[in-house]
Every structure is written in structure tokens, then in C-alpha cells.
Amino acid sequence: MRSLWLQVAAVTAINLKSIGQRRWLSLSTVIAIALVVIVLLAFLAMANGFQRTIAGSGADDIAIVLRAGSQAEINSTVSRDQVRLIEDGPGIARGSDGKPLISPELYLVVDGIKRSTKTKANLPLRGIGEQGSELRKGITITAGRMFNRGSNEVVVGKALLQEFEGFDIGSTVSFGATRWNVVGVFEAGGSVFESEIWADLNVVQSLFNRNNIVQTVRARLTGPAALDGLKSYSDNDPRLKLDVKSEAAYFAEQASQTSDLIQKLGWPLAIAMALGAVAGALNTMYSSVAARATEIATLRAIGFGGFPAFVGTLAESLLLAVIGGLLGAAATYLIFDGVTASTLGGNFTQVVFDFKLSPWLIAEGVALALIVGLIGGLFPALRAARLPIVEGLYAN
Amino acid sequence: MNDFDLVRKNLFRRKLRASLMIVSILIAFMIFGVLAGFYRAFTAGEDAAAADRMITVNKINFTQPMPIAYFTRVRAVEGVRQVTFANWFGGYYQDPKNFIMALAIEPNTYFDVYRSEFEVPPEQLQAFMRDRGSAVVGESLAQKWGWKIGDRIPLNSNIFSQKSGGHTWDLTIAGIVKGKAEHVDTNFLLFQYPYFDETRSFGKDTIGWMILQTTSPENNDRVAKAIDAMFANSTAETSTDTEKAFGKAFAAQFGNIALIVLLVVGAAFITILMIVGNTMALSIRERTREIGVLKTLGFSGPRILKMVLGESVLLALLGGIPGLAIAALIAMALRTSLSNIAPAFAVSPTIALQGLALMIALGLITGIIPALNAMRLKIATALGRG
């Protein structure tokens, strides 16, 4: 047994050392595999970054109330009377002054100009109630100040400021006939709120002629468990009949569609390309076996078995694949990780997000590379193991 | 045996190797065909845009409404041939997942403005205009749900509610709209704005956007300026742009699809280029002695160059053409399921021609270095080697 492993080790070492003789062919296989991994990982990093931005936006103990069937904030309408009924609903936390911690909100789409392409894009303008910023975790004003209630001042999210023109502190932005002063920039822990513009609810309502209507109500619950109570309260009151969800569940729904689409595009492309790379790897490895035919036959003639030849060839293929996989992962990390992009999200407005690689994604990429290496090496390895000795010796 | 036979025999001397090359080229062109088809579908609106058509939207953003009174005022602007308007309905059928692109339209003018795209039999159009509660549906949407003329369908909205409290409008199908050209998307439902406006619970007397046709594309600028100036400093200022510019700006919002397509196709091509190029070089080097023999027999350098290039181009075509064919099949299979995001998803003749040009380019690029080497090979070196 021991001698078999010694044989395997010896043949593998010979194989690996001889890669240099086939450096161009081997290099092309490595690069082909690396490109496959780059394409896959770029798509996965995009889906992952999008998912993190949106899914990270919601909390379990915040309820979001929308009109039944509306699916997204932009489609929802909630009347003033309904807002009052929700204020008195069960499970809603109250502040030290006894007031319910809720924020009725109006969500409008306005135009902005994207810095990179100078094209128009849909941006969300959110009119928030008094408690609006307290109902979101980790909101900090990083520059300037919060808007004053009752004035036409806005604060903008950090990501929005980065991606779109004209929102620097002190500037005036006009949405149609209304003018707004940008007085502050806020951070929201990388969540989707950083892609929004916030203003006072009452001012937005009056300047956009939406006086008695809001779109959603956010409410702090006494705990995540209080959600069901609020749900059945809404279901049983014919005046309400609203959809009550936890903010976390709402955002998870919003994220799944787009990131699904990105992933569904990424995997088939990567697999199609991987098939191309398998053809390349097979080619390289068959050439490798052909180039070493005499050598393999000689080893067999002096008593080496077929198995070491098999393992040696497969090991060479797997090594090339691992190098390609890691190279691809490193390149993706250097090129794409942290790149900021934006696309239309579930609310028909731009969501700014970063490409984000994770160790798990890198593992997926390297795994794909290894599969390419395995398939690409398997058949040539079998040929090496079965090569008739006499034929091999006369190969050249 | 002519040169072509020789090329063919050379190519398939190592059957396994040739098949592998063909498979990888096939995959590259399959990716190219699918992505190019997808991209074309994505930008189809842009190509379909008529030069004399313009869109007027609320200046704040196209999702904001404007007063219906604007409609008659725009009609009076000099240089405007026809105006119509539409309102987004947020429609779905039975389940919110079954999104339907439904618009409430001005019934008398809509098909006049879109007459170069859509065709409705005159008697069906009349039936639609007569019955306030009726709708016309695009051919592909009708096909998707098996709807026929006379069917009564419940259309839900995820935005609007009726005064009576429900979210469902029952509509009778009065006609089926056909597209006049291949790229025209007919995945929509149109119903009467007057009926919609009367029954909805909020937003009364506002419209989503106006589509206008100028008397000539040269008037576009002047008409746009006149309209936007007319509503300047009102509560709903407008922004008027050509249909093409509007469509382009909208598509850009999804992120840079073109760049992604280019990157992926580029990556796939570089991969294939390397694999095929290397193999060609390898197979020519193996044949050095033979090339020497051919030269001895009197084959000229340029003739050998042509033969080697012919071999690599043949290889590219053998892989590429079936690859494009498979892409066309994939596009056909996915067409209905992707009809919402990418209508008219297909491998068009233009894409096929571009693909063909790419195949020839691929063949020439991968073959040129081995071919040059073969051409320059000295007989003595060739016969002395190996």
C-alpha cells in the first residue's frame, strides 16, 4: 500500500514539475477558468450587495402598514382616519410622553441626475412624521442638521448624495414648481434609506397636493411578537383592512425579486462559459497526456501502476483549476468588490448598493473552478492510466 | 482533392480535439446570441420610437400626475398633429404576481397616434369606443391567458380602488390589438379613461402622460418648448421630450445593461479565443513536416496561409452557426416568460449577421499567427524538424 502512495506522489510530482513545458497551453486554461469565475462572482457579488442593502433595511419590531394588495409603498394609500385607528391599535409602543411611536409617511418619486451617466433617474422623496428618524435604526446626521418641521428643507442619504448630482448641503433643489433646501446628510448603516431624500410629512403633503393621504405608516411595536395582534386588529376592523407586515419581512420581499433575477442570469451564463472552459481544460490535459506518453509508458514499463498515472494527471488539472479559481476570485475582489451601482428597486426608485463578495461566494466560485478541473482532467487521466505500454514507448 | 477537402480533412484529423473546439465556440456564440437578443429586446422601445412622437410628463417625475385640462391645451399648440394620453393602472389578473401592463387611455385618439404600430379591426375598435366598460388587449397578452372577444375579465389594481371600495374592475374584451411589425410588443391591456376616472376613488381629473405627434420631426424642438413654457410656474410643470430620448432615459435606470453584456460576451470571447488560438498553434506545429512536404510539392506560401486560415474560419463557422441557432431556440422558449421585462426577445437577422462577422473575425484572429508561421516556414527547417 505504502509503495502505491509513493508511486502516486512521485508521478504527481513529475506531472506538476512538467507544467512549465506546456506553459502556454496551461496558462490559457488557467485564464479561461479565471474568466469563468470572474463572471460568476461579479453577478453573485451584485446580487449579494443588493440583497444586503435591502434586507438590512428592515427591523423585526417595526411594523409597516400598507393598503391591502399594494405590495410596495409607492402603490399604497392610507387615509388620515386609518392612521388614527392604527395609533390606537394594540402592540404599538409609546414614548415617555405617552404618544404612540408611529410615523405616517408619503413616498413620492422625483427626478435626479445620475453623476456617472448624466441621465435622469427616479429618486424617492419621503415625507416622514415626527418620529420618522427614530423609527429607523442607526440614523445619524453626518453633516449639517436635521430639517426643521414645517419648512421646505430636506436631508439626503449618503448613498444618494454620492450617486446623484446637485444634493450638496446648502444647495437648492426644485421638484417641479417647489424648491427645497438641502440642510443635512444622513447615514443609515448602509440600508436602502441612504438612497432617499427626507422631508417633513406635512410640507410634502401640502406642496404636492396630497393633503389627506399618506402611503404607509411605520410603527414601533412593543416587541416582535406584538405584530400578530396588530394584524388581527387590522383584519377585524372593516375600516382598516390593511396589510400589516414587519419591516424586515417587507424588505425581504422587495429584495428577493431583483436579486433572484441577477442570480438567474449569473449562474446560467457561468455554467455555459464553464462548459467552454471544460473543453479548454480537456484539450490541455489531453495534450499533456500526449506529450508525456513516452514518459508514462516508461514508468509503467519499470513497474509503476495505472493508478498513479491517473492521479498525477488529475492532480495537474485540479491544480490548474485551483490557480484559475483563486486568480478569478482575487481579480473579482480587486475589480468589483465595493463598486457602487444603482438600479430600479421594488418601489420604482433607484436603490444604491455596493458589489459585495463574501467568503461563501468565493467558495462557490472556486468550487465551480474545481468542477471544471475535475471534468477536464478525468478523461485524459483515464487515458493516461490505460495507455498501452508498447504504444506509448513508440509515441514519438 | 481540392484545397477545401484538404482543409476539412486537416481539421478533423483529430476528431476529439476538433469536437472540443467546436463545442467551446458553440457555447460562445450561444451566449452572444442570447445576450444580444436580450439587449435588443431591452432597447426595442428605443428603436421602435417614431421620430415625430413626443411624450409630455410631469416635470417632477413621470410618475406624478397632471391635470386632464392640459390635454385640450396641448392639442391647440401649433405644430401638434394629434395628442392622446394614458394613465398607469398597476394592473394584475387574479394574483398580484400576474402583472399586467394596463393603461387607461383616451379611446378616440390613442390608436391614431400609434397607428404605425398597432392594428385593430375597425369593427372591434368601434365596439371598444361604444362600450365604456370594455377593453382591448394585445395579441400576446390575449394568447397568454386564452382571452377571446366577448370575455369578461376582472382586472385588479395595486394602486387604485373604486369608489365602492373594491380594487377590481370588470372589463369586456372588445378587440384584439395586433402589432404591425415584429418588434412591436403587444403584451398590454387598454381600457377607457372616462370609465376609469369616474369609478376611481382618488386622483380624479388627472392623467399620467400625454403622447403627441408633431406635424414633422423638425417641429419637435419648437413644440416641446411651447408646451413646457405654457405650463411653467403652474402647479404641475411639464417636461416634453422625444419618445426615443424618454425610452432611453428609462432603460438607463436599470443600470448599465449594455456594459454587462459587453463584459460577459467579451470574457467569453477572450476565453474561447485563447483556447482555439492555442489549439490551432499546436495543431499547425504538429504538422510542420507536412507543410514542408506541401511546399516541396509546389504549394506557395500564400496558398498555405489561405489553407490554414480557412481551417480556423471553418472551425469558427462550424461552432458558431449551430450556437446561434441554439440561441434562437432559447430566445423562442423564453419569449413568453420574459415578455414583461424584455418583449420581442429574439435573435434577429441583424444579430445573426453580426454573429457571422464575429465568427469570421474569430477564425482570422485565431488562425493568423499559425498561418503566418506556416507560410514563412523554410522547407529545410520543416523537414528537418520532428
Side-chain angles (χ1 to χ4, degrees):
Chain A
M1 211 37 213
R2 191 167 169 264
S3 73
L4 181 67
W5 291 118
L6 283 174
Q7 284 186 9
V8 167
V11 175
T12 306
I14 294 171
N15 264 22
L16 300 187
K17 278 179 194 154
S18 68
I19 287 177
Q21 290 163 18
R22 298 176 297 281
R23 71 180 81 90
W24 295 115
L25 206 56
S26 304
L27 189 68
S28 84
T29 300
V30 167
I31 294 176
I33 292 174
L35 284 169
V36 172
V37 172
I38 290 173
V39 168
L40 177 70
L41 288 186
F43 273 98
L44 293 183
M46 182 153 74
N48 183 39
F50 185 77
Q51 177 104 32
R52 279 166 62 125
T53 296
I54 296 202
S57 304
D60 279 327
D61 61 346
I62 301 280
I64 172 163
V65 180
L66 304 103
R67 185 177 68 69
S70 55
Q71 290 179 300
E73 289 186 73
I74 181 111
N75 295 336
S76 174
T77 43
V78 177
S79 71
R80 186 184 274 179
D81 298 336
Q82 289 175 320
V83 175
R84 277 200 206 106
L85 285 168
I86 296 162
E87 278 182 357
D88 296 332
I92 306 243
R94 286 167 188 276
S96 47
D97 54 353
K99 275 192 184 169
L101 295 175
I102 75 161
S103 163
E105 300 183 349
L106 190 60
Y107 189 96
L108 295 167
V109 184
V110 297
D111 272 346
I113 302 290
K114 196 167 168 153
R115 280 186 202 268
S116 58
T117 54
K118 307 283 174 206
T119 50
K120 270 190 195 173
N122 291 2
L123 302 182
L125 169 66
R126 189 189 286 278
I128 58 171
E130 253 172 83
Q131 319 275 359
S133 62
E134 276 97 280
L135 288 182
R136 290 169 172 88
K137 49 185 178 188
I139 300 289
T140 44
I141 299 281
T142 50
R145 58 174 173 84
M146 193 61 187
F147 60 77
N148 286 326
R149 305 213 73 84
S151 70
N152 50 349
E153 293 176 344
V154 294
V155 290
V156 298
K158 193 181 94 179
L160 181 120
L161 178 68
Q162 225 168 55
E163 284 290 289
F164 302 94
E165 284 183 354
F167 291 99
D168 302 285
I169 292 185
S171 53
T172 306
V173 287
S174 49
F175 304 131
T178 65
R179 307 237 181 291
W180 303 78
N181 299 318
V182 183
V183 296
V185 178
F186 66 90
E187 247 180 54
S191 73
V192 70
F193 299 119
E194 285 187 1
S195 314
E196 298 185 348
I197 307 163
W198 286 357
D200 182 29
L201 174 68
N202 296 326
V203 181
V204 175
Q205 278 183 322
S206 66
L207 288 180
F208 282 83
N209 299 320
R210 303 283 170 96
N211 280 319
N212 280 316
I213 285 175
V214 294
Q215 273 158 318
T216 50
V217 179
R218 275 188 163 68
R220 177 164 315 276
L221 299 167
T222 47
L227 185 72
D228 287 335
L230 190 63
K231 256 187 200 166
S232 54
Y233 167 75
S234 159
D235 288 346
N236 292 327
D237 191 330
R239 291 168 297 175
L240 285 172
K241 294 276 184 219
L242 299 165
D243 272 354
V244 180
K245 300 173 187 180
S246 79
E247 205 188 32
Y250 170 77
F251 280 118
E253 268 168 44
Q254 298 286 319
S256 64
Q257 281 187 355
T258 305
S259 61
D260 258 20
L261 185 77
I262 301 172
Q263 274 188 5
K264 278 182 188 151
L265 208 62
W267 272 106
L269 272 174
I271 289 172
M273 282 182 66
L275 287 173
V278 164
L282 278 171
N283 204 2
T284 308
M285 294 316 297
Y286 274 126
S287 308
S288 163
V289 172
R292 286 179 298 106
T294 317
E295 184 186 301
I296 293 169
T298 313
L299 287 171
R300 297 278 300 282
I302 59 172
F304 278 71
F307 184 67
F310 175 83
V311 176
T313 307
L314 202 57
E316 181 183 339
S317 174
L318 288 176
L319 180 75
L320 295 179
V322 168
I323 296 172
L326 293 176
L327 205 67
T332 315
Y333 183 79
L334 291 176
I335 304 168
F336 289 108
D337 196 65
V339 165
T340 307
S342 75
T343 186
L344 275 187
N347 265 317
F348 211 53
T349 52
Q350 295 287 317
V351 175
V352 181
F353 63 96
D354 292 341
F355 281 60
K356 194 78 206 134
L357 265 184
S358 70
W360 177 245
L361 295 185
I362 292 176
E364 283 183 60
V366 174
L368 179 69
L370 279 176
I371 292 171
V372 170
L374 189 68
I375 302 173
L378 194 63
F379 300 102
L382 282 175
R383 176 183 284 183
R386 291 182 186 151
L387 200 67
I389 297 175
V390 179
E391 205 178 286
L393 287 175
Y394 286 104
N396 278 337
Chain B
M1 192 194 252
N2 61 28
D3 283 3
F4 181 72
D5 288 328
L6 209 58
V7 166
R8 194 165 46 83
K9 292 232 157 91
N10 269 333
L11 181 58
F12 286 103
R13 177 173 325 185
R14 298 227 176 172
K15 289 201 177 57
L16 182 73
R17 179 192 284 168
S19 326
L20 285 176
M21 291 305 98
I22 288 172
V23 168
S24 41
I25 295 170
L26 185 142
I27 285 164
F29 280 92
M30 197 178 79
I31 294 174
F32 166 80
V34 170
L35 286 180
F38 193 73
Y39 177 66
R40 188 190 79 107
F42 217 80
T43 53
E46 217 176 289
D47 301 336
D52 60 353
R53 252 199 325 256
M54 307 191 82
I55 304 225
T56 301
V57 294
N58 189 310
K59 194 179 175 188
I60 297 168
N61 178 267
F62 59 81
T63 57
Q64 301 290 335
M66 57 191 151
I68 192 169
Y70 284 15
F71 173 54
T72 35
R73 292 184 63 189
V74 165
R75 184 184 274 179
V77 172
E78 203 199 315
V80 173
R81 195 195 73 84
Q82 182 61 285
V83 201
T84 192
F85 64 81
N87 201 93
W88 183 256
F89 182 69
Y92 64 91
Y93 177 57
Q94 291 169 339
D95 185 283
K97 281 193 197 94
N98 302 327
F99 160 82
I100 283 178
M101 165 144 156
L103 303 175
I105 56 154
E106 207 292 310
N108 301 310
T109 48
Y110 197 81
F111 290 102
D112 184 22
V113 169
Y114 283 107
R115 68 193 175 290
S116 56
E117 274 81 25
F118 302 136
E119 194 166 19
V120 195
E123 69 280 3
Q124 292 180 15
L125 189 61
Q126 271 160 22
F128 170 61
M129 292 205 267
R130 259 198 316 272
D131 179 1
R132 293 164 70 77
S134 68
V136 287
V137 292
E139 208 179 7
S140 49
L141 186 67
Q143 240 166 38
K144 187 170 171 187
W145 297 107
W147 292 340
K148 284 178 291 298
I149 291 177
D151 284 1
R152 242 180 122 60
I153 51 147
L155 183 68
N156 292 286
S157 172
N158 59 26
I159 306 173
F160 296 101
S161 52
Q162 287 206 338
K163 279 179 185 161
S164 54
H167 301 301
T168 313
W169 272 258
D170 284 307
L171 301 166
T172 313
I173 295 177
I176 307 278
V177 186
K178 286 195 172 71
K180 279 191 174 170
E182 227 268 317
H183 62 75
V184 174
D185 171 34
T186 55
N187 196 46
F188 54 73
L189 181 150
L190 308 169
F191 70 111
Q192 291 212 14
Y193 177 83
Y195 173 61
F196 164 70
D197 201 42
E198 235 162 63
T199 45
R200 63 171 160 173
S201 64
F202 63 90
K204 200 168 162 45
D205 290 336
T206 61
I207 56 176
W209 62 90
M210 287 183 280
I211 309 105
L212 48 114
Q213 203 164 32
T214 54
T215 44
S216 145
E218 285 111 60
N219 297 333
N220 286 358
D221 266 358
R222 202 169 43 73
V223 169
K225 283 200 185 97
I227 293 172
D228 293 342
M230 193 155 73
F231 303 116
N233 299 317
S234 71
T235 45
E237 295 191 352
T238 60
S239 156
T240 304
D241 217 335
T242 60
E243 191 177 42
K244 186 169 185 144
F246 184 82
K248 207 169 183 168
F250 182 70
Q253 294 217 44
F254 285 95
N256 211 335
I257 304 284
L259 189 71
I260 295 172
V261 171
L262 203 72
L263 279 178
V264 173
V265 175
F269 261 88
I270 294 171
T271 310
I272 304 303
L273 202 71
M274 275 178 343
I275 295 171
V276 176
N278 255 313
T279 315
M280 280 307 291
L282 200 76
S283 100
I284 301 299
R285 203 170 322 130
E286 276 174 12
R287 294 208 298 259
T288 307
R289 192 183 259 273
E290 260 175 58
I291 291 170
V293 173
L294 287 177
K295 285 199 162 169
T296 319
L297 289 174
F299 279 61
S300 68
R303 188 168 169 197
I304 288 182
L305 178 93
K306 261 187 247 157
M307 281 172 63
V308 175
L309 280 180
E311 193 176 329
S312 59
V313 171
L314 181 66
L315 186 73
L317 291 176
L318 283 177
I321 292 171
L324 277 185
I326 293 174
L329 290 177
I330 292 175
M332 255 190 267
L334 291 181
R335 204 174 164 156
T336 35
S337 63
L338 286 177
S339 58
N340 285 334
I341 33 173
F345 178 29
V347 178
S348 69
T350 330
I351 295 174
L353 280 179
Q354 283 167 353
L356 216 56
L358 271 175
M359 285 170 216
I360 293 169
L362 176 74
L364 294 178
I365 295 170
T366 52
I368 192 70
I369 293 172
L372 283 175
N373 287 340
M375 185 182 85
R376 290 189 194 127
L377 199 67
K378 298 265 185 316
I379 294 174
T381 343
L383 294 179
R385 219 194 268 173

